[in-house]
Amino acid sequence: MGVLNITPDSFSDGGRFLDHGRALEQAHRMVEDGAAIIDIGGESTRPGSEGVSVQEELDRVMPVLEALCRDLSVPVSVDTSKPEVMREACRLGAGMINDVNALRASGALDAAAATGLPVCLMHMQGQPRTMQQAPQYRDVSADVVAFLGERVAAATAAGIPRHRLVLDPGFGFGKTVQHNYRLLAQLQRIVGMGLPVLVGMSRKSMIGAVLDQAPADQRLVGSVAAAVIAARAGARLIRVHDVRATVEAMAVVRAVLAESRE
Ligand code: 7PM
């Protein structure tokens, strides 16, 4: 799954056109490089974020989403927690809902169910603005399994069948560096829940933390290493910025997994 960044800072028509043009170009390149899904989001759920209004998120994401759904040969996933955005994205042809809030927003369960789309349910402790202040767990992987189990029950009760669900432990969302590595080390516990698992560690601070605080643009090799470990443990979708390098690494993991069954 390739991460598509939409730069939000230029709001003149010319600037917006250029930003959208760049986003489309980047998405096409990720597909050429082997991405099976493109994930597009409006920055509302990032650590420290205040969140954006429904209208702002629609304005930012929908023009690019519409063009991508029309032009790309792979499904487009929409990274949103808002029911209105889920409905509109589905109308424009989105193929998946990626909700870092696991459909806990008011109306989100019903909206997601009505789209009939696959949904990724992600674990997050706290809210984006404050979640990194003092994350605490009794047992991080047990807590994540319990939370995701509860959200699977809520989703199925709302009419989303199990076969449309994907689970994500939510690396970096209300977790210390140690929590993140404990979760990665115990990822089989999430995989053992029996639904496909998605992970997103690409360029995150958990990678920088073990590389002497390397900046985001110097976390490629560490990110690929994390992707390899997750895939080896059974993760089926890997959300990344650097598609070509990760796809190459996945060819090696796939070859090992094929022989692991013998
Ligand atoms: C700043 C900090 C900007 C963090 C962006 C991020 C995930 C996700 C994100 C994930 C799923 C990023 C994150 N992370 N969706 N959306 N899983 N399902 O690195 O781990 O892109 S936002």
Side-chain angles (χ1 to χ4, degrees), residues 57-187:
E57 196 171 316
L58 288 170
D59 290 347
R60 203 178 277 176
V61 175
M62 292 308 138
V64 180
L65 181 94
E66 186 169 23
L68 291 177
C69 293
R70 193 185 53 220
D71 297 344
L72 293 183
S73 55
V74 302
V76 179
S77 154
V78 60
D79 190 340
T80 190
S81 298
K82 296 188 175 72
E84 300 86 350
V85 177
M86 293 172 190
R87 278 195 214 90
E88 184 63 8
C90 179
R91 196 180 69 79
L92 296 177
M96 178 172 174
I97 294 166
N98 173 25
D99 185 2
V100 300
N101 204 35
L103 304 179
R104 286 178 293 168
S106 173
L109 281 167
D110 289 339
T115 65
L117 293 176
V119 181
C120 178
L121 302 171
M122 197 196 79
H123 174 273
M124 167 167 57
Q125 183 180 85
Q127 295 299 314
R129 198 173 54 80
T130 52
M131 67 190 176
Q132 289 308 108
Q133 285 171 12
Q136 279 182 25
Y137 296 88
R138 190 183 56 79
D139 171 341
V140 65
S141 45
D143 288 9
V144 168
V145 166
F147 172 86
L148 291 175
E150 186 269 312
R151 296 318 296 160
V152 169
T156 52
I160 307 172
R162 268 181 72 87
H163 71 261
R164 270 187 217 139
L165 297 174
V166 172
L167 304 178
D168 184 338
F171 289 101
F173 286 83
K175 288 146 190 114
T176 64
V177 170
Q178 191 182 7
H179 291 142
N180 286 314
Y181 281 101
R182 180 71 60 86
L183 260 179
L184 179 55
Q186 299 184 341
L187 197 68

Side-chain angles (χ1 to χ4, degrees), residues 3 39 43 45-47 79 98 100 120 122 168 170-171 173 198-202 204 239 241:
V3 182
D39 187 50
E43 287 237 3
T45 47
R46 281 69 226 257
D79 190 340
N98 173 25
V100 300
C120 178
M122 197 196 79
D168 184 338
F171 289 101
F173 286 83
L198 185 159
V199 296
M201 294 178 280
S202 179
K204 284 187 179 173
R239 184 180 178 278
H241 301 84

Side-chain angles (χ1 to χ4, degrees), residues 246-259:
T246 311
V247 166
E248 284 181 13
M250 291 305 113
V252 176
V253 175
R254 188 172 294 111
V256 172
L257 288 174
E259 290 308 318

